[in-house]
Each structure stands twice: as C-alpha cells, then as structure tokens.
C-alpha cells in the first residue's frame, strides 16, 4: 500500500491531508510523508496551528495490517507521534468515518480532536492478536479511567461520536463541513499544547478495576493479548508515561509476531476476499427493495429478521395461521430480549417488527424482488414450492433457497428462471450468525450472483461463495469430521472425551454437544435417506442410529449423547451411552484404545484439511482461505488458530501427511484422499 500526505494552507492553519485509499492506513509511505509534513509545520512560523484530516470518507483506519508479519519499515508510528508532541504548533485531529487502532492513537497524540457525527473510534488490536502499540493503552485511561479503558481495548468495541464526546475522547463535534469547522476550531488552539501524556489517570476503585479485568478475561477467553492489554493499561497509573509507552511497544512487537496474530490477520483479509469472484466486474446488482421468506420456522423467522434489521421490508409466509403466528411470536420475543439487554431501543425494535408482514398465502409475494425459501428440507416439497413461486412472483424476482445440502441445480431446473435461482444458506440463528454461504448453481447468472452478494453485504453477512455439492463447504466438512468423531467412538473414545478435547483446542462447543443442541433427528433422517445408496463396503458407524432408535434425539428429548436435567443446557455423561458404545465396538470386534486430546484434535483437523483439498479440487470452494472463513464463522473452529488450512500451513508437513495416511487406513474402504500435499504447497506459496 502506498500513500501520501498533502500539505495545504488555510491562512495561518496548515491542513495535512492523509491520502492512502481505500482506508488511509498509515503505511510506511504515509508515515514518511507525515514526518516531512510535520517538519514543514515546525519550520514555517506563519503556520500557527495544524489540522490532520483523512482524504475520502475516512480518517486513518489503522496502521497497515499487511506490515505486521515482518520488520516494520521506519519511521514507525511512535516517531510521528513524538514529532507532533515536540512541535510547538498545536495539532488538531479532524475525524470522520473510522479512526481505529494506530489511526486513533495518531489522533490521541494530537492536542485535541473534532469529529463528525458518523465517526467510529476504537482499538481493534486485541481482535488481531495484539495490543495497541502506539500509546493507546496509555492515552485512553487518562481520558476514561482504567476500568473503561480495559473494557474498550479488550472488547475492541467501536465507539460512536456521542459516547466518544461523553467520554472525552472527542473534544468537539463538527456539525458543518468537517475541514472548515476543524480549521476554525484549530484557530482556537493557537498558542496551546495539550499532550495527553501529561494528564494524570483519574483514580478508580480497585474493585471496579477487578470487575473490568474479570469481565474482559472472560469475554476474551483468557487469550494472551487480553491479559497483556489489561496489564499495559494499568501501567498508565503505575509508571511514568515514556516508560509505559516503551513497555507497551515491546509487548506489541512481540505479540504481532505470534502465530495467533498471524492467524487473525489471515482471517481479516480472508473475510474480505471471500465475497470476491471473477466475472462480476461491471455487473450491477438488482436493487432488492422488498423481500419475501417462505417458512416461518426458526430459520425463516431468523432470515426475516435479517432483512428487517437491514431496513428491507419483508413478507413472511407460511401455509397456516398458527405457523405464521408462531414465527411472529418468536420474532417479537427475540426483539424484546434485545431491548431488555439494552442493545436496542424499544422504538427501534418496533420499527423492525413493523417491517415484517406476516401472510398465509404465497400470492402475498407477488411484489417481492427476492424470495428466500426456508421450508422443510425435502427435495419434493421444495420443488413443488419453487414451481408455485415461479408462477406467481414478478418476472425479475430472484428465487433463493436456504437449503443446507440439497442439490440446487435440481431445484433450479423445475423453474423457468434457473438463471435467477441462487442458494442463500444462512446459519442458525440466522439473525445473529454472520456467515452466509452464497451458492452458485450451474445456471445462476452473474447478475443474480452479484445481487445475492449485494444483499449479503446489506444484511451485514460474511458471504462465502460455494458451488453445488452435497453440503456445500461447511456441512460437507462438518459431515466428514463428524464421521471421524463417530469412528473414534468405536475405537475407544467417548463423546465427552472428544468434546472436551475440541473445546480445549478452542472450539466453541464439541460436535456431540452441538448435535444434542440442534437435535439428532435431522442427521438421522439424512442417514436414512442416504442408506439406500450407501456402499455396503464402506465403514459405517451405527452408534448414532442406535442412540436415535432409543428416542434420544438430543436436548429437546432430555437425552441424546448426554442426558439433560430439565432446564439444564449442559449435558451429563450417561453410562447408558457409554455401554451402548462399548457394545458397538465389541460387535465389530474392535479392541478399544485410549485417545489423547491431541490425537483427537489432530485427527479432526487433518480430516477437515483432507475434505478441503477435495472441495477445492472439485471447485466447490474458490480458495483455501474461504474454507477457513466458513469453519471459523459457522462451525466454531477457534479463531485464534486461523481455520483448518491456516493451522495446516503451520504444521510439520511430513507429520500431517503421515496422519492423513493413517486416517485413510483406519477409515477403510470408501475413504477419499485429497491432494493434501498439493494443498500444503499452495498454502506455503501464499504464506
Ligand atoms: N491495513 C491494511 N488494509 C486494510 C486495513 C488496514 N488497517 N483496513 C482495511 N484494509 C483494506 C481491506 O483489506 C480492504 O482491502 C479495503 O481496505 C477495504 O476494507 C499500532 C497495531 C475501516 C471499518 O483493524 O475495520 O493500528 O479487500 O472492506 O467495510 O496500535 O476496513 O479492498 O483489497 O473492510 O468499508 C487497526 C481494520 C490496525 C481496522 C472499513 N485497524 N479495518 O470497512 O472496508 S492495528 C483496524 C476495518 C493498529 C496500532 C495497531 C474496516 C473499516 P481489499 P473493508 P469497509
């Protein structure tokens, strides 16, 4: 990333315009140009004040993240900040758009800050495996006190103008044009300097600091950068400013070189790459002004809320009044809970609910630009619905399916608008899960795909493009690693061993606890559907079927892989399940053996890597990083590990290939080995 700084004059005020599209990241070029510009201000006595402002629609959105995996070119940001502090001319930071991380630290090293109402400020560093490295942990507590600084830095929360002003992060609001207002504001600072480093940290009661610390560690899952940030913020009250700055920088430099920071950077860029695909340049997406959702069950209601949250009116249809009423009741109770938690105002909740129109007949969808079907996962029923929709929605309307594994080409083929059929695979709960698999069928047109991606952006979803295949990207990999987890049950492990190992590895929840939460019947129905075509030579684990045949369908039946006391979310290990598993091993003549947690985790992740290699070879996923984005955002793969492929690229190659060979051997007939060696080469080249 290159960039520069334009020095412009407005009478006795210099305006330093930082220009590095698209987000004015403070790259090495920008820093060099800034240092020169500050030199100009310092040496020109006709300049009595200076304003820092960003070109385009944002201030500096942070340091250049691309610089962090290697030695940072000089001059580094602290040098720029020292030049501002040591220059007798007052510096005013004029903020609009985003002032994040190093961008906000640059602003805090100025004497005052003026901002537009749309501004967001904050510190994303902890979410990138680091801590602020240019004074953030020292400046912020001097304005907010230590407890608030711990909360803001560890949560990476983006702070709006109103709160920013209330907390003293922003000194003035620019109601008019920012530049002109900032220049006028700067004239009020002529002859004054106010380096924040000279301000004392306001005292805070120890219990408030302890409370903020405990909350931050809990929310941050005790990640190393969280504890480091908490410690650094407290130096603001215990050490001289310059000493604390130097210590903060040392910790920042160490953390940025960690594998965890590299993993989180990988995901930062991977999430931005995922919605990109060739062949869409110059293709204008269709404007979706009105949406429709068919099926008012959990998924349908959640999807309707996504549209309402994005400000798009939506019609929620189900075949009978009771079903629609249940859907609307679920929607109302979700918003009530959100209001109760203080995350939304009552009026905002009311306006979102008002955007959702319940209906019992499909004809209500005749004016929709996009209709998403979220009905029962059955090919026949879905085909009937699509034929009916095709006959009654507007000719330009797009038909989308929320199927999580059915063949979209077959669904599209029953309509007269296969080019306007696309998959929008939401994840449960749809209104909160960011991930969205956008499935491109063979006939899906470029315009339909562009429109689906535009809708994903408006719904603030993380779109990943997939091609048609059983289970697309996420469910395909999930099915493969679930199969290995079931094989490990036969070979000697128990559900609680596997779940504990994967949760310690960092998964939000182990596969058996997840299965109990979502219900065992869906997968059981799918196994029964596939039974007719399953190759009898293939290794097949009957244990899940045995569990279901006993009516153990998960939490909703009080028992599944675990047993649940009423109202309890966490299940207890059940001797009946253990006995059933041991019996299954005996029936197959398998001598059970012990598994270490590491063996369990590596077998699971190597399975994912293998399935990923197959997916990429089949063209179902476009790039390896897309698979990391799906597993991290949809299947609880630990973010700090970067995803299964990032993990694999940081393992010993020979070990991974040997583990794959072993996996093929224990899985037996029917196991498909992907070109993992080729994939590891590709990942190496990209690293
Ligand atoms: N460095 C490098 N590239 C960046 C970048 C950054 N900081 N921020 C964005 N980009 C690229 C991004 O990859 C994409 O590229 C394009 O800009 C548009 O981004 C010392 C250590 C500002 C809210 O973490 O949160 O400072 O895909 O699609 O939706 O203490 O970008 O087009 O090729 O996200 O309008 C702290 C990260 C760094 C801010 C705009 N700063 N950026 O959102 O655009 S650490 C951040 C954002 C630091 C100091 C430390 C968002 C945004 P491409 P986009 P957007």
């Amino acid at each position: 990333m290159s960039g520069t700084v334009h020095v412009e004059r407005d009478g006795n005020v210099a305006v330093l315009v930082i220009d590095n599209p698209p987000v004015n990241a403070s790259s090495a070029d920008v820093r060099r140009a800034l240092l020169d510009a500050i030199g100009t201000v310092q040496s020109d006595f006709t300049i009595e004040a200076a304003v820092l402002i960003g070109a385009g629609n944002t201030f500096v959105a942070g340091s250049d993240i691309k610089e962090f995996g290697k030695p940072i070119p000089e001059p580094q940001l602290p040098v720029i900040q020292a030049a501002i502090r040591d220059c007798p001319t007052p510096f005013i930071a004029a903020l609009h758009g985003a002032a994040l991380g190093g961008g906000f630290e640059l602003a805090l090293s100025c004497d005052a800050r003026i901002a537009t109402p749309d501004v967001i400020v904050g510190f994303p560093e902890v979410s990138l495996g680091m801590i602020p490295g240019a004074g953030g942990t020292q400046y912020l507590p001097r304005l907010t006190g230590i407890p608030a600084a711990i909360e803001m830095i560890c949560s990476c929360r983006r702070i709006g103008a109103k709160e920013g002003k209330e907390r003293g992060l922003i000194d003035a609001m620019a109601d008019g044009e920012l530049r002109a207002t900032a220049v006028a504001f700067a004239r009020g600072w002529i002859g004054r300097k106010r380096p924040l480093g000279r301000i004392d940290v306001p005292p805070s009661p120890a219990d408030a600091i302890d409370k903020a610390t405990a909350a931050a560690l809990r929310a941050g899952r005790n990640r190393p950068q969280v504890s480091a940030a908490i410690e650094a913020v407290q130096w603001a009250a215990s050490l001289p400013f310059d000493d604390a700055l130097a210590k903060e920088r040392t910790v920042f430099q160490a953390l940025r070189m960690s594998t965890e920071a590299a993993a989180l950077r990988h995901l930062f860029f991977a999430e931005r790459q995922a919605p990109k695909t060739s062949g869409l340049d110059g293709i204008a997406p269709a404007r979706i002004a009105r949406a429709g959702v068919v099926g008012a069950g959990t998924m349908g209601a959640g999807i309707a809320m996504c549209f309402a949250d994005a400000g798009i009116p939506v019609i929620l249809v189900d075949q009978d009044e009771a079903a629609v009423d249940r859907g609307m009741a679920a929607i109302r109770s979700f918003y009530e809970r959100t209001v109760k938690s203080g995350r939304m105002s009552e009026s905002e909740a009311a306006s979102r609910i008002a955007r959702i129109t319940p209906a019992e007949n499909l004809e209500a969808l005749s004016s929709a630009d996009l209709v998403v079907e979220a009905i029962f996962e059955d090919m026949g029923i879905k085909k009937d619905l699509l034929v009916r929709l095709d006959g009654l929605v507007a000719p330009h309307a797009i038909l989308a399916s929320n199927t999580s594994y059915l063949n979209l080409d077959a669904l599209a083929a029953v309509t007269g608008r296969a080019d306007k059929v696309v998959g929008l695979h939401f994840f449960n709960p749809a209104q909160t899960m960011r991930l969205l698999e956008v499935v491109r069928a063979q006939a899906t047109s470029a315009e339909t795909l562009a429109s689906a991606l535009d809708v994903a952006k408006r719904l603030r979803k993380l779109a990943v493009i997939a091609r048609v295949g059983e289970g697309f990207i996420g469910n395909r990999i999930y099915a493969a690693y679930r199969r290995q987890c079931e094989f490990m049950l036969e070979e000697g492990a128990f559900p609680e061993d596997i779940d504990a190992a994967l949760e310690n590895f960092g998964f939000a929840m182990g596969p058996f606890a997840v299965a109990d939460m979502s219900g065992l019947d869906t997968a059981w129905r799918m196994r029964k559907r596939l039974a007719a075509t399953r190759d009898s030579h293939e290794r097949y684990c009957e244990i899940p079927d045995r569990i279901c045949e006993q009516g153990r369908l998960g939490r909703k039946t009080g028992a599944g892989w675990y047993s649940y006391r009423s109202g309890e979310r966490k299940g207890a290990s059940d001797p009946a399940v253990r006995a059933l598993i041991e019996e299954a091993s005996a029936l197959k003549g398998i001598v059970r053996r012990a598994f270490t947690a590491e063996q369990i985790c590596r077998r699971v992740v190597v399975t994912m890597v293998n399935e990923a290699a197959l997916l990429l070879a089949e063209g179902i996923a476009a790039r390896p990083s897309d698979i990391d984005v799906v597993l991290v955002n949809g299947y609880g793969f630990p973010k700090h590990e970067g995803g299964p492929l990032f993990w694999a690229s940081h393992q010993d190659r020979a070990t991974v290939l040997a583990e794959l060979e072993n996996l093929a051997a224990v899985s037996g007939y029917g196991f498909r080995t992907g070109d993992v060696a080729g994939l590891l080469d590709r990942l190496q080249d990209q690293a």
Side-chain angles (χ1 to χ4, degrees):
M1 245 185 206
S2 64
T4 187
V5 175
H6 312 292
V7 181
E8 298 163 5
R9 290 294 297 266
D10 194 324
N12 59 351
V13 176
V15 180
L16 280 51
V17 184
I18 299 166
D19 190 359
N20 186 18
V23 295
N24 294 329
S26 59
S27 63
D29 289 345
V30 166
R31 294 193 301 271
R32 267 189 288 274
L34 253 181
L35 201 54
D36 294 348
I38 296 163
T40 305
V41 169
Q42 176 128 13
S43 58
D44 183 336
F45 298 107
T46 64
I47 298 175
E48 294 182 282
V51 170
L52 278 188
I53 193 165
N57 61 12
T58 186
F59 186 67
V60 175
S63 301
D64 187 346
I65 299 173
K66 287 200 180 88
E67 288 183 351
F68 288 144
K70 46 198 177 212
I72 299 177
E74 298 299 337
Q76 299 195 21
L77 192 51
V79 173
I80 313 299
Q81 295 168 300
I84 289 174
R85 274 198 310 270
D86 300 342
C87 177
T89 312
F91 275 75
I92 304 301
L95 311 180
H96 68 308
L100 301 169
F104 192 35
E105 290 167 308
L106 179 64
L108 289 170
S109 67
C110 293
D111 300 286
R113 288 146 292 282
I114 183 166
T116 54
D118 74 328
V119 80
I120 51 165
V121 300
F123 295 101
E125 288 86 346
V126 163
S127 69
L128 291 164
M130 307 178 285
I131 66 168
T137 65
Q138 302 310 306
Y139 291 129
L140 191 62
R142 284 173 162 77
L143 293 169
T144 66
I146 286 181
I150 288 174
E151 186 273 325
M152 281 187 218
I153 289 176
C154 295
S155 69
C156 306
R157 203 161 53 82
R158 291 165 183 216
I159 315 282
K162 184 167 171 296
E163 182 181 354
K165 182 83 171 60
E166 283 160 5
R167 289 189 180 276
L169 310 180
I170 294 166
D171 300 285
M173 297 307 300
D175 300 325
E177 194 268 325
L178 177 62
R179 181 180 165 134
T181 322
V183 167
F185 180 68
R187 291 210 169 94
W189 276 79
I190 291 174
R192 289 198 283 156
K193 287 291 281 185
R194 186 193 59 172
L196 283 181
R198 293 214 198 112
I199 295 178
D200 291 337
V201 177
S204 300
D207 62 339
I209 296 175
D210 295 346
K211 203 159 155 252
T213 298
L217 287 171
R218 203 173 36 251
R221 305 185 83 180
N222 293 306
R223 300 307 315 160
Q225 64 272 23
V226 176
S227 0
I230 293 167
E231 190 186 359
V233 167
Q234 300 196 65
W235 291 333
S238 61
L239 294 176
F241 179 68
D242 291 337
D243 297 359
L245 268 190
K247 283 187 74 149
E248 176 205 66
R249 189 76 183 170
T250 306
V251 173
F252 159 75
Q253 296 285 19
L255 284 172
R256 76 180 176 85
M257 295 310 286
S258 67
T259 306
E260 175 157 348
L264 295 167
R265 279 195 298 274
H266 160 72
L267 288 171
F268 176 87
F269 291 112
E271 287 177 5
R272 282 156 181 80
Q273 275 302 98
K276 297 183 177 157
T277 184
S278 57
L280 296 186
D281 295 346
I283 304 274
R287 185 80 194 142
I288 307 298
R290 205 171 166 73
V293 176
V294 183
T298 309
M299 288 308 292
I303 296 169
M305 282 191 265
C306 293
F307 285 103
D309 292 346
I312 302 172
V314 57
I315 307 141
L316 178 59
V317 179
D318 207 309
Q319 58 203 353
D320 63 42
E321 190 179 351
V324 178
D325 291 350
R326 274 195 307 276
M328 289 309 293
I331 289 169
R332 272 189 288 277
S333 87
F334 176 80
Y335 283 123
E336 274 157 26
R337 285 198 307 277
T338 312
V339 170
K340 260 213 198 86
S341 71
R343 283 177 286 124
M344 188 182 291
S345 67
E346 269 197 40
S347 59
E348 181 55 32
S351 59
R352 295 187 188 197
I353 294 169
R355 283 190 204 116
I356 305 173
T357 309
E360 288 154 45
N361 54 62
L362 294 178
E363 284 65 29
L365 298 166
S366 56
S367 61
D369 304 305
L370 163 72
V371 176
V372 184
E373 69 78 11
I375 65 168
F376 188 65
E377 283 277 39
D378 178 275
M379 185 60 100
I381 297 174
K382 282 188 191 280
K383 281 183 173 175
D384 292 349
L385 173 65
L386 285 174
V387 169
R388 292 180 60 199
L389 287 172
D390 190 30
L392 60 83
V393 297
H396 74 275
I398 293 172
L399 296 179
S401 171
N402 179 53
T403 181
S404 55
Y405 58 80
L406 292 176
N407 186 321
L408 196 65
D409 292 324
L411 290 173
V414 300
T415 72
R417 61 180 77 206
D419 62 320
K420 291 187 176 59
V421 173
V422 66
L424 289 179
H425 177 215
F426 290 79
F427 288 77
N428 192 7
Q431 69 276 21
T432 50
M433 290 289 278
R434 287 178 65 211
L435 184 66
L436 180 65
E437 280 183 328
V438 175
V439 184
R440 184 176 195 168
Q442 265 160 15
T444 304
S445 69
E447 196 214 14
T448 300
L449 182 61
S451 307
L453 293 168
D454 183 58
V455 165
K457 197 165 184 174
R458 291 171 67 194
L459 300 189
R460 293 177 173 282
K461 295 297 182 191
L462 198 44
V464 176
I465 303 169
R467 286 287 188 166
V468 173
E470 177 85 18
F472 312 129
I473 299 175
N475 279 349
R476 162 94 175 259
I477 292 183
Y478 186 63
Y481 93 68
R482 270 258 321 273
R483 194 177 310 120
Q484 287 301 325
C485 291
E486 290 157 10
F487 288 168
M488 286 193 273
L489 293 181
E490 286 182 337
E491 295 164 28
F494 290 108
E496 51 270 28
D497 305 328
I498 295 173
D499 282 357
L502 292 171
E503 285 161 21
N504 286 337
F505 179 70
F507 273 85
M509 202 188 263
F512 296 102
V514 168
D516 273 359
M517 181 180 69
S518 42
L520 307 186
D521 41 345
T522 318
W524 193 22
R525 252 198 317 280
M526 188 149 82
R527 288 194 302 274
K528 282 193 230 174
R529 180 173 66 83
L530 294 172
T533 53
R534 188 179 305 120
D535 185 329
S536 58
H537 299 95
E538 251 180 43
R539 181 175 175 182
Y540 180 73
C541 175
E542 287 86 4
I543 296 173
D545 298 339
R546 297 293 91 76
I547 295 274
C548 292
E549 284 153 10
Q550 295 187 352
R552 304 175 68 103
L553 300 179
R555 259 197 228 162
K556 61 186 174 190
T557 58
W561 292 103
Y562 300 99
S563 50
Y564 298 83
R565 280 208 210 97
S566 70
E568 292 219 354
R569 297 166 70 84
K570 187 148 180 50
S573 162
D574 191 323
V577 171
R578 292 171 72 94
L580 184 155
I581 291 171
E582 286 167 336
E583 190 195 325
S585 307
L587 279 173
K588 285 200 172 175
I590 297 173
V591 179
R592 297 178 61 77
R593 66 174 181 94
F595 280 82
T596 65
E598 192 188 5
Q599 286 169 333
I600 291 170
C601 292
R602 294 189 68 90
R603 180 156 167 182
V604 162
V605 186
V606 169
T607 300
M608 292 178 173
V609 175
N610 181 59
E611 207 63 31
L614 293 167
L615 273 173
L616 289 161
E618 294 161 24
I620 293 172
R623 54 180 84 83
S625 59
D626 290 354
I627 294 172
D628 286 340
V629 170
V630 168
L631 269 293
V632 166
N633 290 285
Y635 297 81
F637 193 96
K639 209 172 179 172
H640 63 264
E641 294 285 356
L645 300 187
F646 181 89
W647 176 90
S649 67
H650 285 71
Q651 302 299 312
D652 172 65
R653 181 193 170 86
T655 309
V656 170
L657 296 177
E659 286 165 335
L660 178 62
E661 242 176 72
N662 180 45
L663 192 61
V666 292
S667 303
Y669 176 87
F671 182 84
R672 293 175 59 216
T673 304
D675 177 15
V676 171
L679 175 55
L680 293 175
D681 292 342
R682 185 173 169 186
L683 294 171
Q684 206 57 48
D685 298 346
Q686 288 170 352

